[in-house]
Structures are given as structure tokens and as C-alpha cells.
Amino acid sequence: MRKGLLFILMLMLAGFLAACGSSNEGESSSDSTGSEEASDSKWSEIQEKGEIVVGTSGTLFPASYYPEDSDEMTGYDVEIMREVADRLGLELKFEEYGVDGLLSAINSGRIDAVINDMEVTKARQEQFTFSEPYKYSYSTMIVRESDLSGIEKLEDLEGKTHGGGATTVFSQIAEHFGAETKTYGNVTNDVYLRDVENGNTDFIINDYYLQSLALKALPNIEVQLHPDLKFHPTNSAIVMPNDASQMKEEIDAVLQEMREDGTLTKLSEEFFGGKDASKKPEADIREIEGLEL
């Protein structure tokens, strides 16, 4: 029985895995014919077995998680993948991995794809194939209510302490502006928030939607979203092997159908408190220059 996971927010959702090199993707020919054959082979394999195996964490609220007192995994990402598989006429099997193991599981061939609020980055695009985005967001920052942790702009992060995962995009952003990152194990979100409240850390960078939900779930902790800082626009997509262009084409077509018929909007509003994360935000969001992700 999975309990107490309803408000878990693992601050690791965009961790870049340096160990996941393209060498594990398989030996593909440099000519176009070889590439096309590899692509067709992956999709043909999935069709032949009639099943797609997808990796997810099961601990990332509200993308992939177990509601309290339930053994049935759900979440925005999980329900999107269920709908995609159904429309493709495939059985769906989820395999659960820690965030740091998801991309390596694709490389090893243990799974066919990953869906876990995985951010599309240039570095990852060199190693993997991504679907069209199903979620658009940006980064925000949780700070103390009393003084905004002394932060007015991103340049004020120098010398301050960030709470997060060691391998995340969010920690890279914090360290780019001169902050140190205090890392955690597998802890619930209230631990992160209370450390900001009591001064053990100064701020937490993470996804806007996830941080909004975390604060709503834990209203008694005296922290808040920074009112002025919106930065690093992000896209989340389904991750596939580097040679899976046919698979991408099939999945993209279904995602487009789901966008046009309102399914993505409906699922987003269900899991993100009435907000539509399937559409690009209209806010003025700062791009961070000089940071290679």
C-alpha cells in the first residue's frame, strides 16, 4: 500500500544524467537507410508485442504518483500516457524508477519511453528523441514570506543557499548565479519548505505549477512564491530512444488529437488546480543567458 505520497514533490524532475551517453543507444549506421531501418524496427517491435513499456517515478505529484490509501498510480503524465497508448491500440505497462534511473533505462532497452515531467534540453536532445510538448511551464522560486529571503533579482542569489537535487536543472540555475545547493535524500516537500522558513536554506527553484500546488498543500509554512521572478521557460515531453523517429511520429499525431479535442486541457485542469499547463504561458519569462543545459 502506498501512503503519504499525495504531496511529495521530488525536486529532481529535470536532472540531467551525464552518464547516459549516446553510446548505449545502440549501434546505428551513419547513412539514412540504416537510421530509417532502426526507427522502423523500434516501432515494429512495439506493434508486434502490442505493448509499450514506459518508465515513470510514481513519486512526483501531480505528474506521476499514488494517491493516499491507493495502489493505483495516477497523475497528469500517467493519464496522458494511458490515453496515448489506448488511441494507439497498445497495452501499457509502467515501470517505476528513481528519476536518476529513467533515462538510463531507455539506453539499456529496459523500457520504450519515459514520461515524468521530463524537461526538453539541448543536451538531452543529443541523446534522445522527444515528442511534441504536452506541458509548458517556467521556473519560479520559493522564498521566506518575511523578507523574500533578501532576493529581489536572480543576481542576488550569490552567496545564498538553494534547497534541491544535485543533478537538476534548477540547481544548475542556482549555481550559475553563485548560490550553493543543499541536497536531500528521498524526503517530502515539507522538509524543503521548512528549511527555507527557518533559514537553513534561502530559496527553492522549481516548476511554477508544482511549487504552486506544494504551497497550497502546506499553507501553514511561512514561505511564498517570489512575486517578481519568472524565468527559464520549459517544455515537458515524452522521451524515446534516439532512433525512434517512427515512434515519435505516431505519438505526436495522438498528442495533437488530444490537444485539438481538449483532452490535454481537461487532464491539466484536473491535476493542476484548474490551470491549463498544456498551453504556453502568457507571462513575461526571463531567458537565462550563458547557461548551457
Side-chain angles (χ1 to χ4, degrees):
M1 182 73 68
R2 307 298 183 102
K3 294 185 176 181
L5 292 175
L6 182 57
F7 298 115
I8 287 181
L9 173 57
M10 301 303 296
L11 300 180
M12 301 169 65
L13 55 124
F16 172 63
L17 306 180
C20 294
S22 58
S23 60
N24 291 330
E25 288 295 303
E27 297 180 7
S28 59
S29 171
S30 60
D31 61 85
S32 60
T33 301
S35 178
E36 289 172 4
E37 287 176 354
S39 171
D40 291 342
S41 174
K42 182 61 179 175
W43 180 242
S44 296
E45 175 190 326
I46 292 171
Q47 286 186 305
E48 183 176 344
K49 64 183 180 179
E51 179 185 69
I52 184 169
V53 182
V54 178
T56 193
S57 68
T59 59
L60 182 64
F61 179 81
S64 169
Y65 70 102
Y66 288 86
E68 193 169 4
D69 297 322
S70 175
D71 288 326
E72 181 71 20
M73 186 164 55
T74 189
Y76 181 54
D77 291 37
V78 169
E79 299 307 328
I80 284 175
M81 198 66 234
R82 285 193 172 121
E83 185 68 17
V84 167
D86 183 63
R87 295 192 189 198
L88 289 172
L90 298 171
E91 295 294 322
L92 173 62
K93 179 182 180 182
F94 281 114
E95 294 283 354
E96 294 173 44
Y97 293 87
V99 174
D100 287 343
L102 286 168
L103 297 183
S104 59
I106 292 182
N107 279 334
S108 68
R110 297 193 301 273
I111 59 177
D112 301 314
V114 163
I115 190 165
N116 200 66
D117 202 11
M118 193 69 68
E119 181 181 341
V120 182
T121 67
K122 290 181 180 178
R124 287 174 177 162
Q125 285 178 313
E126 294 177 358
Q127 301 179 66
F128 302 96
T129 297
F130 284 84
S131 71
E132 289 300 306
Y134 60 82
K135 178 183 172 225
Y136 299 91
S137 188
Y138 55 90
S139 296
T140 54
M141 186 185 302
I142 286 177
V143 292
R144 284 185 290 278
E145 283 185 357
S146 58
D147 61 353
L148 302 183
S149 299
I151 299 167
E152 294 183 4
K153 55 187 183 299
L154 289 174
E155 286 73 16
D156 294 333
L157 301 185
E158 186 170 0
K160 296 192 179 295
T161 303
H162 170 241
T167 62
T168 66
V169 168
F170 307 117
S171 291
Q172 290 182 57
I173 293 171
E175 291 158 12
H176 176 74
F177 287 100
E180 290 187 12
T181 293
K182 176 182 178 180
T183 60
Y184 297 78
N186 188 11
V187 299
T188 53
N189 196 48
D190 63 296
V191 176
Y192 290 94
L193 300 188
R194 291 194 188 283
D195 267 4
V196 174
E197 179 186 44
N198 61 32
N200 286 337
T201 59
D202 297 300
F203 66 100
I204 304 165
I205 296 175
N206 208 295
D207 175 78
Y208 162 71
Y209 291 105
L210 299 186
Q211 295 213 112
S212 297
L213 288 168
L215 293 180
K216 184 177 180 181
L218 299 163
N220 295 325
I221 302 177
E222 295 182 0
V223 295
Q224 67 173 66
L225 289 182
H226 198 291
D228 302 318
L229 299 181
K230 300 177 177 67
F231 51 94
H232 185 55
T234 58
N235 302 332
S236 297
I238 299 169
V239 193
M240 294 164 275
N242 198 34
D243 56 6
S245 59
Q246 182 63 32
M247 183 180 173
K248 169 182 168 58
E249 184 177 326
E250 301 291 338
I251 288 177
D252 281 351
V254 172
L255 288 174
Q256 183 60 29
E257 288 178 5
M258 293 169 64
R259 187 177 302 281
E260 291 174 354
D261 67 21
T263 301
L264 289 183
T265 295
K266 180 180 178 181
L267 288 172
S268 177
E269 290 175 348
E270 177 182 350
F271 289 102
F272 291 111
K275 297 177 180 179
D276 190 356
S278 72
K279 296 179 180 177
K280 292 183 179 180
E282 297 180 356
D284 184 17
I285 302 165
R286 175 180 173 180
E287 294 271 7
I288 299 176
E289 297 179 359
L291 180 63
E292 293 294 328
L293 298 173

